[in-house]
Amino acid sequence: MDPITLSMIDKFYESHDIDSRNYHEFKALIAQVSGLTSEDVAKLETLYYQYYYDLFDALHAYFNNKNFVQFEERIRNIVNIDLDELSSGPASPGEKRRMVIYHSFHALLNNLKKQRRITEKQNKLYMYLYTEEDVSLLAAYEVYQFTKDENEFIDTLLLIEQFQYFENDTKFLNDISEFTETVQEQFKIIYAHKRYLDLATRTTLEKIIRAGDKTVLSLYK
């Protein structure tokens, strides 16, 4: 990827702050978890602003499945972590920020899918393009962050999709629509560590993941 494109992608991540609406939803959910002390709530807020992955993953899962019992259990596990140990972990604030934005984008697509404004096939394609850091897709999402215009956002996604079918092999794109949750989860892991992998390594990993290999997922867990 050329330096100009990399610079554009970096600016995309740097320009995103935590959405205040998401923060209010987070606060409202935490208030419903029984038995939390004021210290627990303060710890969770600290983790929220540190882009703690497990917390945002729990929120993302809840917004998708509305399983509050599962969410509550995960929150209770999270409040037991040691913040001092966490601060010495390998993930940088930049990496955590990338995953927060990733989850926000994924949640938006899932919401559009629930409204039947995009299909499951389109959802998988757009998520794949996001993990590939397609500049057109990132730009469309950045514009949406300012305008909150879903109609314009969907129109742009459709144009991007049409361009992909024009530029790429149809079978390649159709294969994306058949991705299982395991495949998608492994692509997410590759995306999270993308800056540490050269192109040849990422390409090889993508090929074995597409072929059904689950090594990446097993190593990550």
Side-chain angles (χ1 to χ4, degrees), residues 24-49:
H24 290 308
E25 290 177 344
F26 157 73
K27 289 278 287 183
L29 274 174
I30 294 304
Q32 298 175 51
V33 178
S34 62
L36 292 182
T37 66
S38 57
E39 289 80 9
D40 291 334
V41 173
K43 177 185 282 189
L44 289 168
E45 290 188 359
T46 297
L47 292 172
Y48 187 93
Y49 281 106

Side-chain angles (χ1 to χ4, degrees), residues 9-213:
I9 292 171
D10 286 339
K11 287 180 179 178
F12 166 81
Y13 292 115
E14 291 168 4
S15 68
H16 282 70
D17 292 321
I18 296 176
D19 192 315
S20 60
R21 182 187 62 183
N22 290 340
Y23 174 72
H24 290 308
E25 290 177 344
F26 157 73
K27 289 278 287 183
L29 274 174
I30 294 304
Q32 298 175 51
V33 178
S34 62
L36 292 182
T37 66
S38 57
E39 289 80 9
D40 291 334
V41 173
K43 177 185 282 189
L44 289 168
E45 290 188 359
T46 297
L47 292 172
Y48 187 93
Y49 281 106
Q50 287 184 352
Y51 303 101
Y52 183 53
Y53 176 79
D54 285 354
L55 178 58
F56 278 89
D57 193 52
L59 288 166
H60 170 71
Y62 172 75
F63 291 139
N64 278 332
N65 60 33
K66 299 301 181 183
N67 187 332
F68 187 77
V69 173
Q70 182 186 72
F71 173 76
E72 192 170 40
E73 180 180 354
R74 294 188 66 177
I75 291 300
R76 294 189 188 286
N77 290 331
I78 290 171
V79 295
N80 289 326
I81 69 167
D82 188 325
L83 287 179
D84 292 332
E85 291 182 6
L86 177 67
S87 63
S88 62
S92 69
E95 290 174 275
K96 296 173 184 176
R97 185 184 187 85
R98 281 164 58 84
M99 293 315 297
V100 169
I101 301 169
Y102 170 95
H103 280 306
S104 296
F105 180 77
H106 196 185
L108 172 61
L109 289 189
N110 282 335
N111 185 49
L112 294 175
K113 186 181 70 174
K114 287 177 182 177
Q115 297 176 37
R116 298 185 179 180
R117 304 192 68 184
I118 64 172
T119 65
E120 175 65 18
K121 180 179 179 179
Q122 290 172 320
N123 190 2
K124 290 180 178 180
L125 173 61
Y126 301 149
M127 284 308 306
Y128 174 76
L129 293 176
Y130 188 95
T131 60
E132 291 295 305
E133 294 183 323
D134 179 86
V135 174
S136 297
L137 190 75
L138 297 184
Y141 184 49
E142 186 167 18
V143 170
Y144 170 78
Q145 291 297 303
F146 285 99
T147 66
K148 301 300 182 185
D149 188 330
E150 287 187 355
N151 292 327
E152 180 183 48
F153 180 61
I154 292 172
D155 286 344
T156 306
L157 290 180
L158 292 175
L159 289 174
I160 292 171
E161 180 183 0
Q162 290 173 10
F163 179 77
Q164 288 296 319
Y165 276 96
F166 177 77
E167 286 287 304
N168 294 289
D169 178 71
T170 302
K171 182 181 183 304
F172 172 80
L173 294 172
N174 286 338
D175 285 346
I176 294 174
S177 69
E178 301 298 323
F179 282 175
T180 63
E181 288 186 11
T182 300
V183 170
Q184 289 181 293
E185 185 67 19
Q186 291 187 102
F187 272 117
K188 182 174 76 172
I189 293 169
I190 298 301
Y191 166 77
H193 300 86
K194 193 170 187 177
R195 296 303 169 90
Y196 302 103
L197 303 170
D198 58 45
L199 179 59
T201 302
R202 294 203 311 269
T203 302
T204 300
L205 287 172
E206 283 197 14
K207 285 181 179 178
I208 65 172
I209 290 170
R210 283 171 175 270
D213 188 274

